[in-house]
Protein backbone atom coordinates (compact mmCIF):
# COMPACT_ATOMS: atom_id res chain seq x y z
CA UNK A 1 0.00 0.00 0.00
CA UNK A 2 1.15 3.53 -0.65
CA UNK A 3 2.52 5.12 2.49
CA UNK A 4 0.49 7.88 4.11
CA UNK A 5 1.50 11.44 3.40
CA UNK A 6 3.67 13.19 5.93
CA UNK A 7 3.10 16.78 6.97
CA UNK A 8 6.34 18.54 6.24
CA UNK A 9 7.16 22.23 6.20
CA UNK A 10 9.11 23.94 3.49
CA UNK A 11 9.24 24.27 -0.26
CA UNK A 12 10.78 22.51 -3.21
CA UNK A 13 14.49 22.66 -3.73
CA UNK A 14 16.11 24.10 -6.81
CA UNK A 15 15.70 27.12 -9.03
CA UNK A 16 12.44 27.34 -10.96
CA UNK A 17 11.53 29.47 -13.92
CA UNK A 18 9.61 32.63 -13.13
CA UNK A 19 5.87 32.25 -13.77
CA UNK A 20 4.44 34.12 -16.73
CA UNK A 21 1.97 36.24 -14.83
CA UNK A 22 0.24 39.00 -16.72
CA UNK A 23 0.49 42.43 -15.09
CA UNK A 24 -2.13 43.87 -17.40
CA UNK A 25 -5.17 45.03 -15.43
CA UNK A 26 -7.60 43.85 -18.11
CA UNK A 27 -6.09 40.34 -18.11
CA UNK A 28 -6.27 40.19 -14.33
CA UNK A 29 -9.89 41.33 -14.35
CA UNK A 30 -10.87 38.57 -16.79
CA UNK A 31 -9.26 35.89 -14.64
CA UNK A 32 -10.74 37.32 -11.45
CA UNK A 33 -14.25 37.28 -12.94
CA UNK A 34 -13.77 33.72 -14.23
CA UNK A 35 -12.81 32.58 -10.71
CA UNK A 36 -15.87 34.31 -9.28
CA UNK A 37 -18.07 32.49 -11.79
CA UNK A 38 -16.59 29.13 -10.74
CA UNK A 39 -17.22 29.90 -7.09
CA UNK A 40 -20.77 30.93 -7.99
CA UNK A 41 -21.19 27.58 -9.75
CA UNK A 42 -20.13 25.74 -6.59
CA UNK A 43 -22.52 27.78 -4.46
CA UNK A 44 -25.58 27.64 -6.74
CA UNK A 45 -25.05 24.37 -8.70
CA UNK A 46 -25.81 26.40 -11.83
CA UNK A 47 -23.34 24.77 -14.19
CA UNK A 48 -23.88 27.49 -16.77
CA UNK A 49 -21.34 29.49 -14.75
CA UNK A 50 -18.64 27.12 -15.99
CA UNK A 51 -19.46 28.12 -19.58
CA UNK A 52 -19.28 31.80 -18.63
CA UNK A 53 -15.93 31.25 -16.95
CA UNK A 54 -14.68 29.42 -20.05
CA UNK A 55 -15.52 32.37 -22.30
CA UNK A 56 -13.52 34.72 -20.09
CA UNK A 57 -10.56 32.34 -19.94
CA UNK A 58 -10.64 31.98 -23.73
CA UNK A 59 -10.56 35.75 -24.02
CA UNK A 60 -7.65 36.04 -21.59
CA UNK A 61 -5.64 33.37 -23.39
CA UNK A 62 -6.23 34.99 -26.76
CA UNK A 63 -4.72 38.15 -25.30
CA UNK A 64 -1.80 36.30 -23.73
CA UNK A 65 -1.50 32.54 -24.43
CA UNK A 66 1.12 32.06 -21.69
CA UNK A 67 -0.99 33.76 -19.01
CA UNK A 68 -0.23 31.61 -15.96
CA UNK A 69 -3.34 32.46 -13.97
CA UNK A 70 -5.64 31.97 -16.96
CA UNK A 71 -4.12 28.54 -17.62
CA UNK A 72 -4.63 27.69 -13.96
CA UNK A 73 -8.32 28.60 -14.13
CA UNK A 74 -8.58 26.55 -17.33
CA UNK A 75 -7.44 23.58 -15.27
CA UNK A 76 -10.20 24.20 -12.74
CA UNK A 77 -12.74 24.14 -15.55
CA UNK A 78 -11.24 21.00 -17.09
CA UNK A 79 -11.31 19.23 -13.71
CA UNK A 80 -15.02 19.97 -13.50
CA UNK A 81 -15.48 18.63 -17.03
CA UNK A 82 -13.44 15.49 -16.28
CA UNK A 83 -10.76 16.30 -18.86
CA UNK A 84 -8.19 14.78 -16.52
CA UNK A 85 -5.32 14.09 -18.99
CA UNK A 86 -5.44 17.74 -20.10
CA UNK A 87 -5.28 18.87 -16.47
CA UNK A 88 -2.25 16.68 -15.80
CA UNK A 89 -0.35 17.91 -18.85
CA UNK A 90 -1.13 21.57 -18.15
CA UNK A 91 -0.40 21.31 -14.42
CA UNK A 92 3.01 19.79 -15.11
CA UNK A 93 3.75 22.60 -17.54
CA UNK A 94 2.74 25.16 -14.92
CA UNK A 95 4.81 23.39 -12.26
CA UNK A 96 7.86 23.78 -14.48
CA UNK A 97 7.19 27.52 -14.49
CA UNK A 98 6.36 27.84 -10.78
CA UNK A 99 7.07 24.89 -8.53
CA UNK A 100 5.91 26.80 -5.46
CA UNK A 101 2.26 27.03 -6.43
CA UNK A 102 0.53 24.72 -3.94
CA UNK A 103 -2.83 25.08 -5.68
CA UNK A 104 -1.38 23.82 -8.94
CA UNK A 105 0.08 20.75 -7.22
CA UNK A 106 -3.35 20.21 -5.66
CA UNK A 107 -5.08 20.17 -9.05
CA UNK A 108 -2.40 17.85 -10.45
CA UNK A 109 -3.01 15.47 -7.56
CA UNK A 110 -6.78 15.66 -8.04
CA UNK A 111 -6.56 14.71 -11.70
CA UNK A 112 -4.11 11.89 -11.00
CA UNK A 113 -6.43 10.50 -8.30
CA UNK A 114 -9.28 10.38 -10.80
CA UNK A 115 -7.02 8.62 -13.29
CA UNK A 116 -6.04 6.02 -10.69
CA UNK A 117 -2.39 7.05 -10.70
CA UNK A 118 -2.11 7.00 -6.94
CA UNK A 119 1.66 6.99 -6.61
CA UNK A 120 2.00 10.09 -8.77
CA UNK A 121 -0.92 11.69 -6.90
CA UNK A 122 0.87 11.08 -3.62
CA UNK A 123 3.95 12.88 -4.95
CA UNK A 124 1.86 15.85 -6.09
CA UNK A 125 -0.01 16.09 -2.80
CA UNK A 126 3.22 15.85 -0.84
CA UNK A 127 4.58 18.83 -2.76
CA UNK A 128 1.31 20.65 -2.13
CA UNK A 129 1.36 20.16 1.64
CA UNK A 130 5.07 20.92 1.88
CA UNK A 131 4.21 24.34 0.49
CA UNK A 132 0.90 25.02 2.19
CA UNK A 133 -1.22 23.39 4.88
CA UNK A 134 -4.78 24.36 5.68
CA UNK A 135 -8.19 23.20 4.51
CA UNK A 136 -7.25 22.84 0.84
CA UNK A 137 -4.37 20.48 1.56
CA UNK A 138 -5.75 18.51 4.49
CA UNK A 139 -9.01 17.76 2.68
CA UNK A 140 -7.11 16.22 -0.21
CA UNK A 141 -4.74 14.25 2.00
CA UNK A 142 -7.76 12.86 3.86
CA UNK A 143 -9.29 11.56 0.63
CA UNK A 144 -5.97 10.11 -0.50
CA UNK A 145 -5.59 8.28 2.79
CA UNK A 146 -9.12 6.91 2.61
CA UNK A 147 -8.75 5.63 -0.95
CA UNK A 148 -5.42 4.00 -0.11
CA UNK A 149 -6.77 2.17 2.92
CA UNK A 150 -6.00 4.38 5.92
CA UNK A 151 -9.43 5.14 7.42
CA UNK A 152 -8.26 6.50 10.77
CA UNK A 153 -5.71 8.73 9.07
CA UNK A 154 -8.38 9.96 6.68
CA UNK A 155 -10.78 10.88 9.48
CA UNK A 156 -8.06 12.63 11.47
CA UNK A 157 -6.99 14.67 8.47
CA UNK A 158 -10.53 15.61 7.43
CA UNK A 159 -11.20 16.77 10.99
CA UNK A 160 -8.07 18.89 10.71
CA UNK A 161 -9.39 20.34 7.45
CA UNK A 162 -12.64 21.30 9.22
CA UNK A 163 -10.73 22.99 12.04
CA UNK A 164 -8.82 25.03 9.47
CA UNK A 165 -11.96 26.22 7.68
CA UNK A 166 -13.31 29.75 7.93
CA UNK A 167 -16.76 29.91 9.58
CA UNK A 168 -19.74 30.37 7.30
CA UNK A 169 -18.00 29.58 4.01
CA UNK A 170 -18.94 27.14 1.27
CA UNK A 171 -15.46 25.59 1.48
CA UNK A 172 -15.90 24.77 5.17
CA UNK A 173 -19.37 23.35 4.48
CA UNK A 174 -17.83 21.18 1.75
CA UNK A 175 -15.26 19.57 4.05
CA UNK A 176 -17.91 19.04 6.73
CA UNK A 177 -19.94 17.18 4.12
CA UNK A 178 -16.87 15.19 3.11
CA UNK A 179 -16.28 14.33 6.76
CA UNK A 180 -19.87 13.10 6.90
CA UNK A 181 -19.27 10.93 3.82
CA UNK A 182 -16.23 9.34 5.46
CA UNK A 183 -18.18 8.59 8.63
CA UNK A 184 -21.03 7.14 6.57
CA UNK A 185 -18.71 4.88 4.61
CA UNK A 186 -17.49 3.21 7.80
CA UNK A 187 -20.88 2.96 9.48
CA UNK A 188 -20.57 5.80 11.99
CA UNK A 189 -24.12 7.05 11.47
CA UNK A 190 -24.33 9.45 14.41
CA UNK A 191 -21.09 11.21 13.51
CA UNK A 192 -22.13 11.30 9.85
CA UNK A 193 -25.44 12.94 10.69
CA UNK A 194 -23.76 15.52 12.91
CA UNK A 195 -21.28 16.43 10.16
CA UNK A 196 -24.01 16.68 7.51
CA UNK A 197 -26.15 18.94 9.68
CA UNK A 198 -23.14 21.11 10.51
CA UNK A 199 -22.45 21.40 6.78
CA UNK A 200 -26.01 22.56 6.10
CA UNK A 201 -25.84 24.93 9.04
CA UNK A 202 -22.73 26.46 7.50
CA UNK A 203 -24.03 26.63 3.92
CA UNK A 204 -27.66 25.76 3.34
CA UNK A 205 -27.31 24.76 -0.33
CA UNK A 206 -24.83 21.95 0.29
CA UNK A 207 -27.02 19.41 -1.50
CA UNK A 208 -24.64 16.52 -0.95
CA UNK A 209 -25.28 16.83 2.79
CA UNK A 210 -29.01 16.24 2.21
CA UNK A 211 -28.07 13.18 0.13
CA UNK A 212 -25.96 11.96 3.04
CA UNK A 213 -28.80 12.53 5.52
CA UNK A 214 -31.08 10.53 3.22
CA UNK A 215 -28.73 7.56 3.38
CA UNK A 216 -28.45 7.77 7.17
CA UNK A 217 -32.23 7.94 7.52
CA UNK A 218 -32.64 4.95 5.19
CA UNK A 219 -30.10 2.96 7.19
CA UNK A 220 -32.20 3.57 10.31
CA UNK A 221 -35.30 2.36 8.50
CA UNK A 222 -36.83 5.85 8.25
CA UNK A 223 -37.65 5.66 4.56
CA UNK A 224 -40.14 8.52 4.42
CA UNK A 225 -37.60 10.83 6.04
CA UNK A 226 -34.96 9.55 3.61
CA UNK A 227 -37.21 10.41 0.66
CA UNK A 228 -37.73 13.96 1.94
CA UNK A 229 -33.99 14.48 2.36
CA UNK A 230 -33.24 13.06 -1.09
CA UNK A 231 -35.91 15.30 -2.63
CA UNK A 232 -34.24 18.34 -1.06
CA UNK A 233 -30.91 17.32 -2.59
CA UNK A 234 -32.53 16.77 -5.98
CA UNK A 235 -34.33 20.13 -5.86
CA UNK A 236 -31.00 21.88 -5.40
CA UNK A 237 -29.04 19.85 -7.99
CA UNK A 238 -30.67 17.42 -10.45
CA UNK A 239 -27.85 14.87 -10.30
CA UNK A 240 -28.38 11.30 -11.47
CA UNK A 241 -27.13 10.07 -8.09
CA UNK A 242 -30.11 11.69 -6.39
CA UNK A 243 -32.58 10.25 -8.90
CA UNK A 244 -30.96 6.85 -8.37
CA UNK A 245 -31.25 7.06 -4.59
CA UNK A 246 -34.91 8.06 -4.84
CA UNK A 247 -35.55 5.14 -7.19
CA UNK A 248 -33.92 2.77 -4.68
CA UNK A 249 -36.00 4.19 -1.83
CA UNK A 250 -39.24 3.91 -3.77
CA UNK A 251 -38.46 0.29 -4.69
CA UNK A 252 -37.79 -0.48 -1.02
CA UNK A 253 -41.14 1.13 -0.15
CA UNK A 254 -43.05 -0.75 -2.85
CA UNK A 255 -43.79 2.43 -4.79
CA UNK A 256 -42.94 1.04 -8.22
CA UNK A 257 -44.52 3.85 -10.27
CA UNK A 258 -42.54 6.51 -8.36
CA UNK A 259 -39.36 4.47 -8.81
CA UNK A 260 -39.98 4.20 -12.54
CA UNK A 261 -40.44 7.96 -12.82
CA UNK A 262 -37.04 8.50 -11.21
CA UNK A 263 -35.42 5.95 -13.52
CA UNK A 264 -37.00 7.67 -16.53
CA UNK A 265 -35.44 10.87 -15.24
CA UNK A 266 -32.06 9.09 -15.19
CA UNK A 267 -32.70 8.05 -18.81
CA UNK A 268 -33.37 11.67 -19.74
CA UNK A 269 -30.35 12.99 -17.86
CA UNK A 270 -28.15 10.40 -19.57
CA UNK A 271 -29.42 11.45 -23.01
CA UNK A 272 -28.75 15.09 -22.20
CA UNK A 273 -25.21 14.29 -21.05
CA UNK A 274 -24.54 12.32 -24.24
CA UNK A 275 -25.85 15.21 -26.35
CA UNK A 276 -23.44 17.56 -24.58
CA UNK A 277 -20.50 15.25 -25.29
CA UNK A 278 -20.27 13.42 -21.97
CA UNK A 279 -20.24 9.74 -22.89
CA UNK A 280 -19.23 8.23 -19.56
CA UNK A 281 -20.86 8.29 -16.14
CA UNK A 282 -20.15 5.59 -13.57
CA UNK A 283 -23.15 6.71 -11.48
CA UNK A 284 -25.47 5.89 -14.39
CA UNK A 285 -23.78 2.51 -14.81
CA UNK A 286 -24.44 1.67 -11.15
CA UNK A 287 -28.07 2.80 -11.28
CA UNK A 288 -28.83 0.79 -14.42
CA UNK A 289 -27.03 -2.27 -13.06
CA UNK A 290 -28.84 -2.04 -9.72
CA UNK A 291 -32.22 -1.98 -11.45
CA UNK A 292 -31.47 -4.43 -14.27
CA UNK A 293 -32.07 -1.65 -16.76
CA UNK A 294 -30.33 -0.99 -20.10
CA UNK A 295 -27.49 -3.30 -19.11
CA UNK A 296 -25.50 -2.97 -22.33
CA UNK A 297 -25.72 0.79 -21.98
CA UNK A 298 -24.61 0.45 -18.36
CA UNK A 299 -21.46 -1.31 -19.54
CA UNK A 300 -20.92 1.24 -22.32
CA UNK A 301 -21.14 4.32 -20.08
CA UNK A 302 -18.83 2.68 -17.53
CA UNK A 303 -16.33 1.86 -20.28
CA UNK A 304 -16.49 5.43 -21.54
CA UNK A 305 -15.82 6.76 -18.04
CA UNK A 306 -12.99 4.27 -17.58
CA UNK A 307 -11.29 5.65 -20.68
CA UNK A 308 -10.38 8.79 -18.70
CA UNK A 309 -11.11 7.85 -15.09
CA UNK A 310 -9.33 4.71 -13.94
CA UNK A 311 -9.83 5.10 -10.20
CA UNK A 312 -11.08 2.28 -7.97
CA UNK A 313 -14.66 3.55 -7.97
CA UNK A 314 -14.95 3.52 -11.77
CA UNK A 315 -13.48 0.02 -11.89
CA UNK A 316 -16.08 -1.00 -9.32
CA UNK A 317 -18.99 0.42 -11.34
CA UNK A 318 -17.63 -1.25 -14.48
CA UNK A 319 -17.34 -4.61 -12.73
CA UNK A 320 -20.88 -4.41 -11.36
CA UNK A 321 -22.30 -3.51 -14.77
CA UNK A 322 -20.38 -6.36 -16.39
CA UNK A 323 -21.72 -8.84 -13.84
CA UNK A 324 -25.30 -7.75 -14.43
CA UNK A 325 -24.71 -8.04 -18.18
CA UNK A 326 -23.52 -11.64 -17.72
CA UNK A 327 -19.84 -10.99 -18.45
CA UNK A 328 -18.53 -12.61 -15.29
CA UNK A 329 -14.87 -13.16 -16.19
CA UNK A 330 -14.43 -9.52 -17.19
CA UNK A 331 -16.33 -8.44 -14.08
CA UNK A 332 -13.92 -10.38 -11.88
CA UNK A 333 -10.90 -8.63 -13.41
CA UNK A 334 -12.51 -5.21 -12.94
CA UNK A 335 -13.41 -6.04 -9.34
CA UNK A 336 -9.83 -6.94 -8.49
CA UNK A 337 -8.75 -3.56 -9.88
CA UNK A 338 -11.38 -1.91 -7.67
CA UNK A 339 -10.04 -3.67 -4.56
CA UNK A 340 -6.33 -3.27 -5.22
CA UNK A 341 -5.81 -0.25 -2.93
CA UNK A 342 -7.63 -1.71 0.07
CA UNK A 343 -10.24 1.06 0.02
CA UNK A 344 -12.68 0.61 2.91
CA UNK A 345 -15.79 0.86 0.75
CA UNK A 346 -18.72 -1.45 1.46
CA UNK A 347 -20.08 -1.32 -2.09
CA UNK A 348 -16.72 -2.33 -3.55
CA UNK A 349 -16.56 -5.32 -1.19
CA UNK A 350 -20.22 -6.25 -1.75
CA UNK A 351 -19.90 -6.09 -5.52
CA UNK A 352 -16.66 -8.08 -5.31
CA UNK A 353 -18.38 -10.70 -3.18
CA UNK A 354 -21.26 -11.16 -5.58
CA UNK A 355 -18.87 -11.37 -8.52
CA UNK A 356 -16.80 -14.00 -6.67
CA UNK A 357 -19.96 -16.02 -6.00
CA UNK A 358 -20.87 -15.82 -9.69
CA UNK A 359 -17.41 -17.24 -10.44
CA UNK A 360 -18.10 -20.15 -8.09
CA UNK A 361 -15.75 -18.81 -5.38
CA UNK A 362 -18.38 -19.07 -2.67
CA UNK A 363 -16.09 -18.84 0.36
CA UNK A 364 -14.33 -15.73 -0.96
CA UNK A 365 -17.67 -14.21 -1.90
CA UNK A 366 -19.10 -14.68 1.58
CA UNK A 367 -16.01 -13.17 3.18
CA UNK A 368 -16.19 -10.08 0.98
CA UNK A 369 -19.87 -9.54 1.75
CA UNK A 370 -19.07 -9.91 5.46
CA UNK A 371 -16.43 -7.22 5.01
CA UNK A 372 -19.02 -4.91 3.47
CA UNK A 373 -21.47 -5.47 6.32
CA UNK A 374 -18.68 -5.05 8.86
CA UNK A 375 -17.98 -1.58 7.52
CA UNK A 376 -21.60 -0.45 7.37
CA UNK A 377 -24.43 -2.87 8.14
CA UNK A 378 -26.87 -0.99 5.90
CA UNK A 379 -24.54 0.40 3.28
CA UNK A 380 -27.13 0.34 0.48
CA UNK A 381 -30.91 0.69 0.30
CA UNK A 382 -31.37 -2.18 -2.15
CA UNK A 383 -28.57 -4.58 -1.35
CA UNK A 384 -27.59 -4.33 2.30
CA UNK A 385 -28.94 -7.19 4.40
CA UNK A 386 -32.10 -6.42 6.36
CA UNK A 387 -30.60 -6.50 9.82
CA UNK A 388 -32.34 -5.65 13.07
CA UNK A 389 -31.56 -2.56 15.11
CA UNK A 390 -31.92 1.14 14.53
CA UNK A 391 -28.40 2.34 15.01
CA UNK A 392 -24.94 2.36 13.49
CA UNK A 393 -21.82 0.95 15.10
CA UNK A 394 -20.93 4.25 16.78
CA UNK A 395 -24.24 4.68 18.61
Amino acid sequence: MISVLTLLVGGLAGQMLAPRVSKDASDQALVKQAREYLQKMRETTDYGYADRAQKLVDQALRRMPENYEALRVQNEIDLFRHAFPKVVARARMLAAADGKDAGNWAMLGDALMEMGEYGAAEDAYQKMVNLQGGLMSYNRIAWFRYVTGDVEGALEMMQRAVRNGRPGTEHTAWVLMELGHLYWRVGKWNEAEQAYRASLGTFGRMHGAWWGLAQVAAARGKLEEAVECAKKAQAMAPLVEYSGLLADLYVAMGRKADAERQLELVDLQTKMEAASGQKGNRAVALIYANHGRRLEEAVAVAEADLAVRKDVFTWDAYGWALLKAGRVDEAEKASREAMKMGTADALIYFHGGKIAEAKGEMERGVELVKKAVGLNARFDVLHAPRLGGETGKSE
Side-chain angles (χ1 to χ4, degrees), residues 19 40 77 82 105 121 137 156 161 167 185 221 227 276 300 328 331 334 339 353:
K40 198 73 173 173
I77 296 169
H82 294 184
W105 289 113
S137 293
E156 189 276 330
R185 287 171 181 272
V227 165
S276 68
V328 179
M339 289 189 285

Side-chain angles (χ1 to χ4, degrees), residues 329-342:
D329 290 340
E330 294 168 87
E332 196 268 343
K333 291 176 184 176
S335 177
R336 289 190 182 276
E337 285 291 327
M339 289 189 285
K340 69 181 179 182
M341 302 306 298

Side-chain angles (χ1 to χ4, degrees), residues 35-50:
R35 283 202 170 106
E36 289 174 356
Y37 279 150
L38 292 180
Q39 181 58 33
K40 198 73 173 173
M41 177 188 73
R42 286 187 283 268
E43 293 176 356
T44 64
T45 66
D46 180 350
Y47 301 120
Y49 281 110

Side-chain angles (χ1 to χ4, degrees), residues 246-264:
L246 280 165
D248 293 351
L249 289 166
Y250 288 139
V251 168
M253 297 166 76
R255 293 166 58 177
K256 293 182 180 180
D258 289 328
E260 180 60 25
R261 278 191 284 272
Q262 291 298 324
L263 292 172
E264 288 173 355

Side-chain angles (χ1 to χ4, degrees), residues 73-95:
V73 176
Q74 181 64 64
N75 258 4
E76 291 185 53
I77 296 169
D78 283 345
L79 267 176
F80 165 70
R81 291 175 171 167
H82 294 184
F84 304 121
K86 287 183 179 180
V87 174
V88 169
R90 191 179 295 113
R92 284 176 171 156
M93 177 187 70
L94 293 173

Side-chain angles (χ1 to χ4, degrees), residues 10 32-33 58 85 122 125 150 152 187 202 246 250 277 308 317 346 395:
K32 181 175 182 291
Q33 184 63 59
D58 289 344
E122 180 182 24
Y125 284 158
D150 179 8
E152 292 306 315
T202 301
L246 280 165
Y250 288 139
V308 294
E395 300 181 68

Side-chain angles (χ1 to χ4, degrees), residues 131-164:
L131 291 162
Q132 180 180 321
L135 179 150
M136 175 194 77
S137 293
Y138 301 152
N139 174 40
R140 287 171 165 86
I141 294 171
W143 182 241
F144 175 88
R145 287 182 172 180
Y146 171 74
V147 172
T148 55
D150 179 8
V151 171
E152 292 306 315
L155 287 169
E156 189 276 330
M157 197 55 62
M158 196 67 80
Q159 290 161 352
R160 186 180 295 201
V162 170
R163 291 195 298 271
N164 277 264

Side-chain angles (χ1 to χ4, degrees), residues 173-231:
W174 175 268
V175 295
L176 280 164
M177 178 191 70
E178 290 290 294
L179 178 60
H181 289 345
L182 288 181
Y183 281 134
W184 163 251
R185 287 171 181 272
V186 295
K188 293 180 178 288
W189 302 347
N190 263 0
E191 291 90 336
E193 181 182 9
Q194 290 166 9
Y196 290 140
R197 294 200 182 281
S199 174
L200 289 165
T202 301
F203 183 77
R205 289 191 58 82
M206 191 54 62
H207 50 87
W210 282 116
W211 179 68
L213 287 173
Q215 295 192 97
V216 172
R220 290 172 171 153
K222 300 175 180 178
L223 299 187
E224 290 289 354
E225 180 182 331
V227 165
E228 290 309 308
C229 290
K231 282 182 175 178

